[in-house]
Amino acid sequence: MAEVSTGSATGTGSTGERDRIVAPSADEIERAAEAALRPKRLDDFVGQRVVRDQLSLVLQAAIARGNPPDHVLLSGPPGLGKTTLAMIISGELESHMRLTSGPAIQHAGDLAAVLSSLEEGDVLFIDEIHRLARPAEELLYVAMEDFRVDVIVGKGAGASAIPLALPRFTVVGATTRSGLLPAPLRDRFGFTGHMDYYSPEELERVILRSSGLLGVHLEHAAAHEIAGRSRGTPRIANRLLRRVRDWAQVRGDGRLDLHAARSALEVYEVDPIGLDRLDRAVLTALCTRFGGGPVGLSTLAMTVGEEAETVETVAEPYLVREGLIGRTPRGRVATPAAWEHLGLTPPPPAPGSATWTPGPGPGSGTLLEP
Ligand SMILES: Nc1ncnc2c1ncn2[C@@H]1O[C@H](COP(=O)(O)OP(=O)(O)OP(=O)(O)O)[C@@H](O)[C@H]1O
Ligand SMILES: [Mg+2]
């Protein structure tokens, strides 16, 4: 059987989400452009030191033993390198990779067809594995544990299951929502790698590497500037790099220097910490129209002319992650960092009003009632 395509893109939210230059997800066209920038070996994979170290051990041990490694689960937000790492695994093992995805498998039979076409040592990559249909999931448990698939022959009362032995293979599952994976499925992965957001220094290395592959010279100061605006996400960093390259070519002198980086990102309205127009509109409304809150989500959304869902799923996660907005039972509040970022002075707390005390983690804190 031919490779099954991955189907729809991961994590593509509303239309507003897909159109954003700082969207963590990518459409098919962008995914094609990304393919050229994917590191092929573990040594070229920037950052994620812990996952890389652990995975390297798993792979080296398997290679030394001459056996396929344990099944691997990669979890983390979109654009952090799960697909890239899956391909690296198959590359390091010098094995054939089969590609499918949760949404592409609607029936157990679809999965049975994929499984029965596997050969010894193959890597079966299942993207968005949390979206597998239930019956397929159950088939997968058995296949992963016992390397067997039960083929159902006949219908109704006369139906019987004929066990079909499978060669030893390795499932690499990727998910942006590991919490949605049923425990029995999660337990069948011998190794789970949790991908985390990248530091600006790591992103700098990602785009310096990418610029080499794109055949352009990126100055260090420009790399630093782009990295700082990329929201911890290599996909966004690579995207911003391409926009800076466009600017340098069309409006600049061809050099990818600090001036080009700043000018391009100004055109695309990505501010120094990676906020875009919508993020800033939300933050500004919260501070200037509602005195920093608390204000209800729907009121806030109406003020910026967006659906509540768009504000909640598209703008808020990063604002909360950056510690600019707090979510409280009484609504959204601006943190001191939000006022500072907008260059505004927070009003003195009105007598009897609640105050926001930032906590230790990003977006954490307490709303103190008077
Ligand atoms: N550690 C890394 N080093 C270099 N480039 C990276 C790294 N991680 C990701 N990239 C680049 O970022 C882009 C997106 O990565 P990838 O497609 O693997 O993300 P993903 O986690 O699978 O996202 P999604 O959840 O949307 O499927 C690719 O172009 C890839 O080359
Ligand atoms: Mg992916």
Side-chain angles (χ1 to χ4, degrees):
M1 173 174 168
E3 284 189 349
V4 183
S5 103
T6 47
S8 68
T10 310
T12 21
S14 62
T15 318
E17 163 73 356
R18 240 172 290 146
D19 293 343
R20 299 173 86 200
I21 185 144
V22 291
S25 54
D27 60 18
E28 294 304 323
I29 297 171
E30 181 163 35
R31 279 169 194 263
E34 282 179 345
L37 301 179
R38 282 188 207 289
K40 301 266 185 299
R41 309 306 297 209
L42 209 48
D43 284 341
D44 298 329
F45 191 82
V46 177
Q48 308 293 342
R49 195 183 51 78
V50 176
V51 174
R52 210 159 23 97
D53 274 2
Q54 295 172 342
L55 194 58
S56 151
L57 264 176
V58 171
L59 297 180
Q60 282 182 36
I63 292 168
R65 282 194 299 265
N67 278 333
D70 272 355
H71 304 299
V72 174
L73 181 65
L74 302 170
S75 80
L80 299 195
K82 297 181 296 298
T83 300
T84 305
L85 213 44
M87 292 182 167
I88 287 177
I89 292 173
S90 127
E92 295 283 343
L93 295 170
E94 297 182 9
S95 67
H96 185 216
M97 173 149 132
R98 292 314 202 76
L99 221 86
T100 187
S101 75
I105 293 175
Q106 291 301 313
H107 309 283
D110 298 339
L111 182 63
V114 176
L115 289 170
S116 54
S117 72
L118 290 175
E119 285 168 26
E120 183 77 22
D122 279 359
V123 167
L124 173 62
F125 176 49
I126 310 182
D127 208 356
E128 297 185 80
I129 193 166
H130 59 275
R131 292 176 64 188
L132 271 181
R134 201 60 211 236
E137 225 169 64
E138 279 161 18
L139 193 84
L140 189 60
Y141 300 161
V142 181
M144 288 171 76
E145 194 148 283
D146 303 331
F147 297 97
R148 190 190 86 214
V149 56
D150 292 324
V151 183
I152 310 291
V153 186
K155 276 199 173 131
S160 58
I162 300 177
L164 177 73
L166 299 173
R168 283 196 58 101
F169 64 98
T170 300
V171 172
V172 177
T175 180
T176 47
R177 313 279 303 274
S178 65
L180 295 184
L181 278 192
L185 182 54
R186 221 176 315 153
D187 293 346
R188 279 166 175 79
F189 288 97
F191 172 77
T192 301
H194 298 283
M195 322 270 292
D196 219 335
Y197 290 104
Y198 292 66
S199 69
E201 294 71 35
E202 290 167 340
L203 291 180
E204 239 178 275
R205 278 161 54 208
V206 169
I207 44 180
L208 283 168
R209 180 182 167 277
S210 299
S211 61
L213 292 173
L214 292 172
V216 291
H217 173 72
L218 176 67
E219 292 189 6
H220 263 97
H224 183 79
E225 189 70 22
I226 298 170
R229 302 188 189 207
S230 299
R231 302 160 79 113
T233 308
R235 168 173 292 140
I236 299 177
N238 279 337
R239 186 186 297 144
L240 297 186
L241 169 65
R242 291 196 294 271
R243 296 294 79 80
V244 171
R245 179 183 60 167
D246 293 349
W247 192 96
Q249 188 185 327
V250 176
R251 298 200 188 152
D253 55 10
R255 282 190 309 160
L256 276 68
D257 55 11
L258 185 59
H259 173 65
R262 287 198 173 143
S263 309
L265 297 175
E266 197 172 307
V267 171
Y268 286 98
E269 302 185 293
V270 180
D271 87 359
I273 61 165
L275 304 191
D276 75 348
R277 193 197 53 76
L278 176 63
D279 299 323
R280 270 195 316 275
V282 170
L283 213 54
T284 307
L286 181 57
C287 290
T288 59
R289 304 283 293 271
F290 302 103
V295 59
L297 173 67
S298 47
T299 310
L300 186 58
M302 213 182 296
T303 312
V304 296
E306 284 290 350
E307 301 285 334
E309 200 204 325
T310 308
V311 170
E312 187 171 27
T313 59
V314 172
E316 253 185 23
Y318 183 66
L319 294 172
V320 170
R321 207 178 101 208
E322 284 297 291
L324 297 166
I325 276 191
R327 290 190 217 206
T328 77
R330 289 180 47 201
R332 275 52 178 173
V333 291
T335 67
W339 293 94
E340 195 182 319
H341 181 66
L342 295 176
L344 300 171
T345 314
S353 71
T355 47
W356 170 257
T357 318
S364 73
T366 334
L367 189 66
L368 297 177
E369 300 291 343

